[in-house]
Amino acid sequence: MEDTQVARTIELNDGRQMPVLGLGTWKCSSLPRAKVQCAVEAAIAAGYRHIDTAYSYNNEVDIGKALHSKMQQGIIRRQDMFIVSKVEDIPACLNKSLNDLQLDYLDLYLVHFPVGLKVEHNILNSMTELKLYYPLSYSGMEALQVSGKVKSIGVSNFNILQLERLLALCRVPPAVNQVELHPYLVQTDMIEFCRSKNIALTAYSPFGSPERPPHDPHKLLEDPVVADVAKKHRRSSAQVLLRYHIQQGISVIPKSDKPHHILENIFDFSLSEEDMRALEDWTEAGGPAFWMSE
C-alpha cells in the first residue's frame, strides 16, 4: 500500500502554519462576480482553508462576500482561514484589501513583484525593476507585521538574486516566496535556495500558463507523460500535478471556478520516485516571466 502521508500544512519560519493546498484566484476578475463568490464558497465547503488573492486581481470584494457568508453560516471561523493577499503600494492597498475582504488582518501579505509599480485605476504600469525599491517596500511590510494587520510577510515572483539582496537588508526574512512552478518550469535552483534559507515556496499556475508569454504551445494538462502517470494512479492529470508539488513540501494554489475540479482529492494517493522523475524529465523551456530575470 502506498504511503499517502504528507503534511496538510507547512510551518513557516515565523512559526505559523500555512495550509499546503489553497485556492488561487488570479484571472478570476474576468469571471462574473457571482461566479467568483460561488467558487470560493465551493472551495470552503470542500475543505479549503487557504485562499490566495491580490489587490490587482480586483476580486477581493467577491472573496470577502464568500468568507462572510460562510462565517455567518457557522461553516468557518476567521481563525480557521489562511488568507493571502499581495501589495503593489502599501498605503493604497492594505486598507482597501482588508475592507473588501471584510477582515481585520491578513494571514500572509506578499510584495507582489520585485519592481517599481505605478497604479492607476487598478492597472499596473511602469513595471521596471528598481534594485532599491523592494527592500524599501519590504521594510514597510515589516512595520505592518508589528502592527498586527498582517501575521506573516513574504514576497512573490522574486528570483534568487533578488532574494539575496533582500535577505542582506531585511530584519524579518520572508516567510514565503510565491512563484510559478510546474514540470515545464521546475526551478530546481530556486527550490534548493529557498530550502536553505527556510523560505517556504508556494507554486502558482501549477497546470502551466499557456495564456501568458513566453507562450508554450503544449498544454501541461494534456501532456502524455502526465497522462500516463495519472492513468497509472487512476487519477486526473490535475490531481497528479498538485500531488507533485505537495510531495516536495511546496504549497500549491490551483485556480478553478468549477466546484467539481476544486473538490478533487490529492491526499489519498502518492507518486513514486519514478513518477516524480518522469514528471521532471523536461528542460525548462522559455524561462520564467521577465520580472524573474536578473
Side-chain angles (χ1 to χ4, degrees), residues 269-286:
F269 75 104
S270 291
L271 299 175
S272 66
E273 291 185 12
E274 181 184 6
D275 296 331
M276 297 291 284
R277 285 195 299 270
L279 291 169
E280 292 177 349
D281 192 21
W282 285 290
T283 300
E284 294 186 14

Side-chain angles (χ1 to χ4, degrees), residues 62-130:
D62 310 296
I63 294 172
K65 289 178 180 178
L67 293 170
H68 184 67
S69 174
K70 289 301 179 184
M71 289 179 193
Q72 280 193 321
Q73 295 171 38
I75 305 299
I76 55 170
R77 302 166 300 168
R78 172 63 186 93
Q79 59 265 37
D80 298 327
M81 299 301 299
F82 193 94
I83 308 300
V84 183
S85 188
K86 308 177 194 74
V87 60
E88 276 74 40
D89 177 66
I90 290 174
C93 292
L94 178 62
N95 289 336
K96 186 175 189 306
S97 288
L98 289 173
N99 184 64
D100 289 349
L101 291 166
Q102 302 184 51
L103 300 176
D104 295 325
Y105 66 90
L106 295 172
D107 294 277
L108 176 62
Y109 207 27
L110 306 178
V111 175
H112 204 160
F113 302 102
V115 293
L117 299 175
K118 183 179 180 182
V119 182
E120 293 180 349
H121 307 296
N122 292 329
I123 298 174
L124 306 182
N125 299 312
S126 304
M127 295 178 65
T128 304
E129 181 181 12
L130 301 174

Side-chain angles (χ1 to χ4, degrees), residues 6 42 45 60 96 103 113 124 131-132 178 180 194 259-260 279 286:
V6 296
E60 292 182 330
K96 186 175 189 306
L103 300 176
F113 302 102
L124 306 182
K131 291 185 179 181
L132 296 179
Q178 185 181 118
E180 182 177 349
C194 286
H260 68 282
L279 291 169

Side-chain angles (χ1 to χ4, degrees), residues 35-48:
K35 202 167 186 180
V36 175
Q37 181 178 344
C38 181
V40 175
E41 289 183 2
I44 293 171
Y48 281 56

